[in-house]
């Protein structure tokens, strides 16, 4: 291994450590607790080292969002591939999405609530975000209906899931009715 390859590997490892530490801190104490000073202390590197990887908190949030999008896409694909039939796939997709949002609130915020400097629904949208949307689209296309564009249907279904996730987490919707809400969403919106 050349010196340059070793330095690149070490740099990638430091970057993963920064992202993992930011994610852990955000999940424990919220995103307000994530500062470059605090991250530098936790990973035992100087702030200039952090700035050599990320220009600031916004880019760190973006990195956490991309990591979360890849994890969500994998979880959605695993859940829907194990389900038999359109109804079961859509129900698995909805349940997995809401479970991911509930288990990873800081990551979910990085993905959809905070400014991580990422472009959504554009040509330059990062691939992990495209993959997460595709994981939704792949299961929802078959239930969108003949007269509905699958992408638009997926956006509406996603917006419904996002609303359920954020309203439940904020205490605006009682969590004990989540299964019934998912059932209604699948039965009425997907018409299954």
């Amino acid at each position: 291994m050349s010196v340059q390859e070793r330095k690149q590997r070490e740099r990638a490892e430091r970057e993963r450590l920064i992202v993992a530490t930011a994610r852990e801190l955000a999940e424990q104490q919220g995103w307000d607790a994530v500062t470059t000073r605090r991250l530098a202390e936790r990973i035992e590197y100087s702030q200039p080292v952090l700035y050599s990887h990320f220009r600031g908190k916004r880019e760190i949030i973006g990195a956490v969002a991309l990591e979360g999008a890849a994890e969500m896409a994998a979880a959605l694909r695993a859940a829907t591939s194990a389900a038999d039939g359109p109804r079961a796939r859509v129900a698995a997709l909805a349940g997995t999405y809401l479970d991911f949002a509930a288990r990873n609130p800081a990551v979910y915020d990085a993905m959809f609530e905070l400014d991580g400097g990422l472009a959504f629904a554009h040509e330059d949208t990062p691939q992990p975000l495209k993959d997460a949307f595709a994981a939704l689209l792949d299961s929802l296309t078959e239930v969108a209906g003949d007269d509905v564009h699958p992408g638009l249907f997926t956006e509406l279904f996603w917006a419904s899931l996002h609303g359920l996730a954020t309203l439940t987490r904020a205490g605006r919707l009682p969590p004990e009715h989540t299964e019934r809400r998912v059932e209604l969403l699948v039965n009425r919106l997907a018409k299954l």
Side-chain angles (χ1 to χ4, degrees), residues 173-192:
L173 296 175
E176 64 269 15
H177 299 298
T178 298
E179 278 187 43
R180 180 67 180 131
R181 287 187 199 97
V182 168
E183 186 179 313
L184 284 168
L185 183 63
V186 171
N187 290 341
R188 301 288 168 84
L189 188 57
K191 296 182 182 175
L192 293 172

Side-chain angles (χ1 to χ4, degrees), residues 59-80:
E59 283 188 6
I60 294 170
I61 290 169
V64 170
L66 293 177
E67 188 176 272
E71 291 171 11
M72 178 183 273
L76 293 173
R77 290 194 188 284
T80 57

Side-chain angles (χ1 to χ4, degrees), residues 2-67:
S2 73
V3 172
Q4 184 178 355
E5 289 172 329
R6 181 183 53 79
K7 286 183 178 187
Q8 287 174 339
R9 188 187 75 232
E10 289 171 354
R11 180 173 176 77
E13 288 172 7
R14 270 193 316 270
E15 195 165 297
R16 281 191 294 276
L17 178 61
I18 294 166
V19 171
T21 304
R23 183 176 174 165
E24 180 183 314
L25 186 58
E27 291 292 0
Q28 291 171 352
Q29 300 177 29
W31 278 105
D32 287 341
V34 178
T35 63
T36 55
R37 183 175 79 31
R38 191 175 261 168
L39 285 174
E41 288 171 3
R42 284 208 173 190
I43 64 171
E44 298 178 344
Y45 283 101
S46 67
Q47 283 182 287
V49 169
L50 262 73
Y51 284 117
S52 74
H53 290 275
F54 299 99
R55 284 182 274 183
K57 183 175 175 177
R58 181 178 186 220
E59 283 188 6
I60 294 170
I61 290 169
V64 170
L66 293 177
E67 188 176 272

Side-chain angles (χ1 to χ4, degrees), residues 14 41 81 104 121 161:
R14 270 193 316 270
E41 288 171 3
S81 69
N104 304 283
L161 291 173

